[in-house]
Amino acid sequence: MLKKINVAELVLGMYFCGFDAGWLNHPFWKTRFLLKHENDLEQARASGIAYCWIDISRGRDVMAAVEDDRMTVPSGAPREGGDDDATLAVEVIVTRTADDPALEQAVALREHARELTRSMFTAARMGRVVALPQCVDLVEEIACSVLRDPTGLLSVLRLKLNDEYTYLHSVAVCALMVALGRTLGLSESACREAGLCGYLHDVGKAFIDDDILNKPGRLSDEEFALIKRHPELGYQYLIQNPDMPAYACEVCLHHHERLDGRGYPDALAADAITQYTRMTAICDVYDALTSERPYKQGWDPADALYQMASWEGHFDRRLLLAFVKTLGIYPVGSLVRLESGLAGRVIRQNPTDLTRPVVQVLHARDEHDIGSNGVLDLMAWPRTDGIVQRGQDANPAS
């Protein structure tokens, strides 16, 4: 139940649902959240905006606040660690195990994000203006997931069927942008801005026929020229929403530019390419390279990083090194061979030693080589095994 009140009436325990003003004028990244901190109240009152909206079914009402100066959160409001507000979830410290429910949460978020993104692309094809608040809320959920478990969501987003690639690619790039922003030391709000850029960067593909996007054979010159129009098509679509941040539009238009000036659509010089755009170029290419497509097999993640590092003039070197640090020397999904002869796939990083990740065994000499769940933690003591080879050459089936 939404209620319009004066900003001066805001108190802790209210469920804030946005100002009565344009989105760009808001001092907050999100439009909906539970007011729990005095700093939030100070920012709201300093905004210069007269009115805002609250949801009295999820938080305190004005009269209730006057009657009870203890500022306790009402029973109907979301609690810390609950599912009703993704912001609260980031405060929960998750200890990941092989069968941890955090993985189930990541899978559920993957499905939720895929369907919302599918709806966004459908709406774009029908000529509807992009629903920015919905995009912001989803980016917030993704950011919270990445911040509490940096590899959980990224690991499940690696699994894409051909008919869902376009949608999950947008979600994956969003998650990668948030993770990279964190490595770079960006503020939480900047990480979420980066995530929004990643989420919307490929929206122009909504206007390209799926038969061309998923064509298994070689594209004709005409088809390739059409696909290269997707940055401009996406940009023209995004600017129809007057509240769309300029940085998101900029990234959508220029995420295929290169530092050597050989990118498209405008062949920009390096100093004209923004940091968010440079970040998106890296995250976009990495996810594309490592994903299975009708016309190619997905590259091994470690091989993809190695190849990307060899492309002179394509990426910002400083940001690419930060990206490698973000994913680890052996990114989730990498094929590896161990000193013992076992072969496996990396399923999780060990932050204290990036050379010793957790591995799901794919090939063993016998059942005594591995534990009951087929998982080896290379940081476990005593350390009796290590990685000697990575990439497709480590695959026992290759």
Side-chain angles (χ1 to χ4, degrees):
M1 296 176 61
L2 296 183
K3 181 175 183 178
K4 184 177 179 180
I5 67 170
N6 193 295
V7 170
E9 297 177 296
L10 283 173
V11 297
L12 298 182
M14 287 183 172
Y15 198 89
F16 179 82
C17 291
F19 289 100
D20 189 31
W23 187 77
L24 288 179
N25 295 323
H26 292 196
F28 303 125
W29 163 256
K30 292 193 306 168
T31 56
R32 293 178 173 82
F33 62 100
L34 183 69
L35 288 167
K36 300 189 300 174
H37 306 293
E38 286 291 343
N39 183 54
D40 292 334
L41 294 179
E42 293 172 5
Q43 288 189 64
R45 293 163 183 164
S47 67
I49 303 173
Y51 295 96
C52 64
W53 295 87
I54 61 171
D55 186 341
I56 61 175
S57 68
R58 303 182 70 181
R60 298 171 62 83
D61 196 354
V62 174
M63 290 305 297
V66 172
E67 293 167 0
D68 182 1
D69 60 2
R70 291 174 297 175
M71 304 305 179
T72 55
V73 180
S75 59
R79 302 284 182 177
E80 290 197 7
D83 296 330
D84 291 335
D85 192 337
T87 306
L88 305 182
V90 77
E91 299 173 6
V92 180
I93 299 174
V94 178
T95 303
R96 175 103 180 251
T97 63
D99 55 352
D100 197 289
L103 186 58
E104 291 185 28
Q105 295 173 11
V107 171
L109 177 54
R110 174 191 185 275
E111 299 307 299
H112 170 63
R114 180 189 62 190
E115 292 310 308
L116 282 182
T117 309
R118 189 193 303 273
S119 297
M120 179 183 71
F121 273 65
T122 299
R125 295 185 184 108
M126 296 176 66
R128 299 175 187 164
V129 175
V130 63
L132 184 57
Q134 186 179 67
C135 295
V136 169
D137 286 346
L138 177 58
V139 171
E140 176 66 21
E141 291 186 69
I142 293 169
C144 287
S145 178
V146 171
L147 291 173
R148 72 170 175 260
D149 182 6
T151 61
L153 182 61
L154 292 177
S155 65
V156 299
L157 286 173
R158 292 196 68 254
L159 306 174
K160 307 181 186 72
L161 300 176
N162 284 331
D163 63 347
E164 63 185 13
Y165 169 80
T166 300
Y167 313 119
L168 286 182
H169 174 64
S170 297
V171 179
V173 174
C174 171
L176 289 167
M177 289 284 281
V178 172
L180 176 55
R182 186 186 190 193
T183 301
L184 292 170
L186 301 185
S187 67
E188 286 200 10
S189 61
C191 285
R192 286 155 172 76
E193 289 179 358
L196 183 65
C197 291
Y199 183 62
L200 295 173
H201 81 287
D202 253 358
V203 70
K205 287 186 177 177
F207 308 104
I208 308 295
D209 194 291
D210 284 342
D211 289 340
I212 296 177
L213 292 176
N214 299 319
K215 183 177 179 179
R218 182 180 178 84
L219 293 173
S220 67
D221 291 343
E222 294 77 13
E223 290 168 336
F224 185 59
L226 181 58
I227 284 184
K228 288 181 67 175
R229 289 190 59 208
H230 79 268
E232 296 171 279
L233 294 172
Y235 174 79
Q236 292 300 326
Y237 172 63
L238 291 183
I239 62 174
Q240 293 177 37
N241 187 327
D243 289 337
M244 182 62 61
Y247 56 79
C249 299
E250 164 67 22
V251 167
C252 182
L253 181 60
H254 290 133
H255 64 277
H256 282 293
E257 300 290 351
R258 296 172 38 153
L259 294 193
D260 60 10
R262 297 171 59 189
Y264 66 89
D266 296 321
L268 294 182
D271 57 3
I273 304 175
T274 68
Q275 174 160 293
Y276 285 158
T277 304
R278 296 177 185 214
M279 291 168 62
T280 306
I282 293 170
C283 297
D284 173 52
V285 169
Y286 173 80
D287 188 67
L289 289 178
T290 56
S291 297
E292 297 286 336
R293 303 294 292 120
Y295 47 84
K296 74 169 185 69
Q297 288 186 326
W299 291 13
D300 177 81
D303 286 344
L305 290 178
Y306 178 82
Q307 292 297 326
M308 289 170 66
S310 71
W311 296 345
E312 292 294 333
H314 202 127
F315 305 111
D316 183 308
R317 188 75 179 176
R318 179 183 69 88
L319 297 181
L320 184 58
L321 290 176
F323 188 67
V324 172
K325 182 179 180 181
T326 299
L327 298 181
I329 301 170
Y330 305 106
V332 170
S334 297
L335 293 167
V336 294
R337 186 172 293 280
L338 307 181
E339 295 170 357
S340 62
L342 300 178
R345 188 182 300 277
V346 174
I347 61 172
R348 189 165 73 252
Q349 301 296 325
N350 275 313
T352 57
D353 189 343
L354 297 178
T355 69
R356 307 187 71 83
V358 179
V359 175
Q360 177 74 51
V361 174
L362 301 177
H363 176 70
R365 292 183 298 268
D366 59 61
E367 62 183 11
H368 301 294
D369 286 338
I370 56 176
S372 60
N373 59 1
V375 173
L376 288 178
D377 184 347
L378 298 183
M379 280 290 287
W381 192 264
R383 300 176 188 174
T384 58
D385 217 339
I387 295 174
V388 295
Q389 192 175 24
R390 60 136 178 90
Q392 291 293 343
D393 291 339
N395 186 355
S398 61

